[in-house]
mmCIF file of all heavy atoms in Angstrom:
data_model
loop_
_atom_site.group_PDB
_atom_site.id
_atom_site.type_symbol
_atom_site.label_atom_id
_atom_site.label_comp_id
_atom_site.label_asym_id
_atom_site.label_seq_id
_atom_site.Cartn_x
_atom_site.Cartn_y
_atom_site.Cartn_z
ATOM 1 N N ILE B 51 -31.073 78.886 10.781
ATOM 2 C CA ILE B 51 -31.207 78.528 12.198
ATOM 3 C C ILE B 51 -32.228 77.386 12.344
ATOM 4 O O ILE B 51 -32.015 76.428 13.087
ATOM 5 C CB ILE B 51 -31.732 79.783 12.977
ATOM 6 C CG1 ILE B 51 -30.560 80.752 13.167
ATOM 7 C CG2 ILE B 51 -32.235 79.400 14.354
ATOM 8 C CD1 ILE B 51 -30.927 82.052 13.733
ATOM 9 N N LEU B 52 -33.343 77.469 11.587
ATOM 10 C CA LEU B 52 -34.285 76.385 11.658
ATOM 11 C C LEU B 52 -33.635 75.058 11.203
ATOM 12 O O LEU B 52 -33.903 74.016 11.827
ATOM 13 C CB LEU B 52 -35.486 76.668 10.790
ATOM 14 C CG LEU B 52 -36.274 77.926 11.222
ATOM 15 C CD1 LEU B 52 -37.571 78.036 10.395
ATOM 16 C CD2 LEU B 52 -36.704 77.817 12.696
ATOM 17 N N ASP B 53 -32.837 75.068 10.191
ATOM 18 C CA ASP B 53 -32.209 73.869 9.696
ATOM 19 C C ASP B 53 -31.257 73.323 10.781
ATOM 20 O O ASP B 53 -31.287 72.170 11.115
ATOM 21 C CB ASP B 53 -31.362 74.228 8.460
ATOM 22 C CG ASP B 53 -30.614 73.015 7.925
ATOM 23 O OD1 ASP B 53 -31.206 71.904 7.886
ATOM 24 O OD2 ASP B 53 -29.417 73.206 7.617
ATOM 25 N N LEU B 54 -30.452 74.235 11.371
ATOM 26 C CA LEU B 54 -29.509 73.691 12.413
ATOM 27 C C LEU B 54 -30.212 73.262 13.634
ATOM 28 O O LEU B 54 -29.736 72.402 14.363
ATOM 29 C CB LEU B 54 -28.521 74.888 12.758
ATOM 30 C CG LEU B 54 -27.652 75.368 11.660
ATOM 31 C CD1 LEU B 54 -26.596 76.363 12.180
ATOM 32 C CD2 LEU B 54 -26.902 74.229 11.001
ATOM 33 N N ALA B 55 -31.427 73.921 13.982
ATOM 34 C CA ALA B 55 -32.038 73.582 15.224
ATOM 35 C C ALA B 55 -32.815 72.265 15.124
ATOM 36 O O ALA B 55 -33.096 71.612 16.144
ATOM 37 C CB ALA B 55 -32.996 74.680 15.656
ATOM 38 N N SER B 56 -33.154 71.865 13.903
ATOM 39 C CA SER B 56 -34.142 70.750 13.768
ATOM 40 C C SER B 56 -33.735 69.481 14.469
ATOM 41 O O SER B 56 -34.593 68.940 15.178
ATOM 42 C CB SER B 56 -34.461 70.541 12.238
ATOM 43 O OG SER B 56 -33.241 70.462 11.542
ATOM 44 N N LEU B 57 -32.520 69.010 14.315
ATOM 45 C CA LEU B 57 -32.146 67.743 14.930
ATOM 46 C C LEU B 57 -32.190 67.909 16.468
ATOM 47 O O LEU B 57 -32.668 67.031 17.193
ATOM 48 C CB LEU B 57 -30.749 67.280 14.483
ATOM 49 C CG LEU B 57 -30.525 67.014 13.047
ATOM 50 C CD1 LEU B 57 -29.260 66.249 12.802
ATOM 51 C CD2 LEU B 57 -31.680 66.215 12.418
ATOM 52 N N LEU B 58 -31.672 69.035 16.965
ATOM 53 C CA LEU B 58 -31.657 69.271 18.368
ATOM 54 C C LEU B 58 -33.066 69.331 18.929
ATOM 55 O O LEU B 58 -33.323 68.829 20.007
ATOM 56 C CB LEU B 58 -30.902 70.601 18.654
ATOM 57 C CG LEU B 58 -30.773 71.014 20.100
ATOM 58 C CD1 LEU B 58 -30.025 69.954 20.882
ATOM 59 C CD2 LEU B 58 -30.051 72.332 20.207
ATOM 60 N N ILE B 59 -33.999 69.904 18.164
ATOM 61 C CA ILE B 59 -35.365 70.021 18.603
ATOM 62 C C ILE B 59 -35.880 68.565 18.853
ATOM 63 O O ILE B 59 -36.519 68.328 19.847
ATOM 64 C CB ILE B 59 -36.265 70.715 17.553
ATOM 65 C CG1 ILE B 59 -35.963 72.273 17.583
ATOM 66 C CG2 ILE B 59 -37.749 70.532 17.868
ATOM 67 C CD1 ILE B 59 -36.651 73.055 16.555
ATOM 68 N N ILE B 60 -35.628 67.675 17.875
ATOM 69 C CA ILE B 60 -36.213 66.346 17.994
ATOM 70 C C ILE B 60 -35.646 65.629 19.182
ATOM 71 O O ILE B 60 -36.428 65.040 20.000
ATOM 72 C CB ILE B 60 -35.984 65.562 16.688
ATOM 73 C CG1 ILE B 60 -36.592 66.301 15.500
ATOM 74 C CG2 ILE B 60 -36.608 64.152 16.806
ATOM 75 C CD1 ILE B 60 -36.310 65.615 14.144
ATOM 76 N N THR B 61 -34.321 65.650 19.422
ATOM 77 C CA THR B 61 -33.805 64.952 20.599
ATOM 78 C C THR B 61 -34.282 65.646 21.865
ATOM 79 O O THR B 61 -34.491 64.979 22.855
ATOM 80 C CB THR B 61 -32.297 64.950 20.555
ATOM 81 O OG1 THR B 61 -31.782 66.207 20.331
ATOM 82 C CG2 THR B 61 -31.730 63.993 19.502
ATOM 83 N N SER B 62 -34.458 66.988 21.786
ATOM 84 C CA SER B 62 -34.940 67.674 23.010
ATOM 85 C C SER B 62 -36.340 67.341 23.385
ATOM 86 O O SER B 62 -36.729 67.284 24.511
ATOM 87 C CB SER B 62 -34.807 69.181 22.841
ATOM 88 O OG SER B 62 -33.491 69.576 22.521
ATOM 89 N N LEU B 63 -37.170 66.998 22.317
ATOM 90 C CA LEU B 63 -38.563 66.620 22.612
ATOM 91 C C LEU B 63 -38.496 65.304 23.482
ATOM 92 O O LEU B 63 -39.243 65.230 24.453
ATOM 93 C CB LEU B 63 -39.304 66.234 21.321
ATOM 94 C CG LEU B 63 -39.585 67.383 20.381
ATOM 95 C CD1 LEU B 63 -40.231 66.902 19.038
ATOM 96 C CD2 LEU B 63 -40.553 68.390 21.099
ATOM 97 N N SER B 64 -37.665 64.416 23.126
ATOM 98 C CA SER B 64 -37.534 63.189 23.847
ATOM 99 C C SER B 64 -37.036 63.468 25.293
ATOM 100 O O SER B 64 -37.607 63.023 26.313
ATOM 101 C CB SER B 64 -36.541 62.286 23.174
ATOM 102 O OG SER B 64 -36.017 61.339 24.152
ATOM 103 N N LEU B 65 -35.965 64.278 25.391
ATOM 104 C CA LEU B 65 -35.421 64.628 26.712
ATOM 105 C C LEU B 65 -36.455 65.363 27.563
ATOM 106 O O LEU B 65 -36.533 65.178 28.741
ATOM 107 C CB LEU B 65 -34.153 65.489 26.537
ATOM 108 C CG LEU B 65 -32.860 64.785 26.897
ATOM 109 C CD1 LEU B 65 -32.929 64.253 28.300
ATOM 110 C CD2 LEU B 65 -32.528 63.652 25.940
ATOM 111 N N ALA B 66 -37.281 66.190 26.934
ATOM 112 C CA ALA B 66 -38.272 66.945 27.714
ATOM 113 C C ALA B 66 -39.182 65.957 28.416
ATOM 114 O O ALA B 66 -39.485 66.112 29.583
ATOM 115 C CB ALA B 66 -39.075 67.827 26.725
ATOM 116 N N PHE B 67 -39.702 64.959 27.613
ATOM 117 C CA PHE B 67 -40.523 63.950 28.217
ATOM 118 C C PHE B 67 -39.834 63.274 29.398
ATOM 119 O O PHE B 67 -40.378 63.110 30.500
ATOM 120 C CB PHE B 67 -40.791 62.865 27.147
ATOM 121 C CG PHE B 67 -42.265 62.725 26.867
ATOM 122 C CD1 PHE B 67 -42.682 62.536 25.532
ATOM 123 C CD2 PHE B 67 -43.188 62.716 27.847
ATOM 124 C CE1 PHE B 67 -44.011 62.422 25.232
ATOM 125 C CE2 PHE B 67 -44.504 62.543 27.513
ATOM 126 C CZ PHE B 67 -44.901 62.422 26.265
ATOM 127 N N ILE B 68 -38.589 62.917 29.159
ATOM 128 C CA ILE B 68 -37.916 62.110 30.198
ATOM 129 C C ILE B 68 -37.472 62.880 31.377
ATOM 130 O O ILE B 68 -37.621 62.487 32.566
ATOM 131 C CB ILE B 68 -36.680 61.433 29.508
ATOM 132 C CG1 ILE B 68 -37.174 60.291 28.570
ATOM 133 C CG2 ILE B 68 -35.716 60.843 30.496
ATOM 134 C CD1 ILE B 68 -36.244 59.810 27.520
ATOM 135 N N LEU B 69 -37.104 64.145 31.118
ATOM 136 C CA LEU B 69 -36.772 65.041 32.276
ATOM 137 C C LEU B 69 -38.033 65.348 33.052
ATOM 138 O O LEU B 69 -37.982 65.407 34.319
ATOM 139 C CB LEU B 69 -36.115 66.265 31.858
ATOM 140 C CG LEU B 69 -34.701 66.221 31.275
ATOM 141 C CD1 LEU B 69 -34.136 67.573 30.791
ATOM 142 C CD2 LEU B 69 -33.732 65.656 32.265
ATOM 143 N N MET B 70 -39.100 65.592 32.407
ATOM 144 C CA MET B 70 -40.323 65.914 33.167
ATOM 145 C C MET B 70 -40.757 64.720 34.063
ATOM 146 O O MET B 70 -41.310 64.899 35.130
ATOM 147 C CB MET B 70 -41.472 66.274 32.195
ATOM 148 C CG MET B 70 -41.370 67.741 31.696
ATOM 149 S SD MET B 70 -42.641 68.317 30.521
ATOM 150 C CE MET B 70 -43.473 67.033 29.867
ATOM 151 N N MET B 71 -40.407 63.588 33.592
ATOM 152 C CA MET B 71 -40.755 62.352 34.350
ATOM 153 C C MET B 71 -39.815 62.209 35.560
ATOM 154 O O MET B 71 -39.998 61.376 36.471
ATOM 155 C CB MET B 71 -40.635 61.160 33.436
ATOM 156 C CG MET B 71 -41.274 59.940 33.902
ATOM 157 S SD MET B 71 -41.425 58.727 32.566
ATOM 158 C CE MET B 71 -39.743 58.259 32.287
#
Side-chain angles (χ1 to χ4, degrees):
Chain B
I51 287 172
L52 296 184
D53 178 46
L54 295 187
S56 48
L57 299 193
L58 181 58
I59 287 174
I60 302 175
T61 50
S62 303
L63 290 177
S64 158
L65 251 303
F67 240 138
I68 289 162
L69 289 179
M70 277 176 351
M71 198 165 68

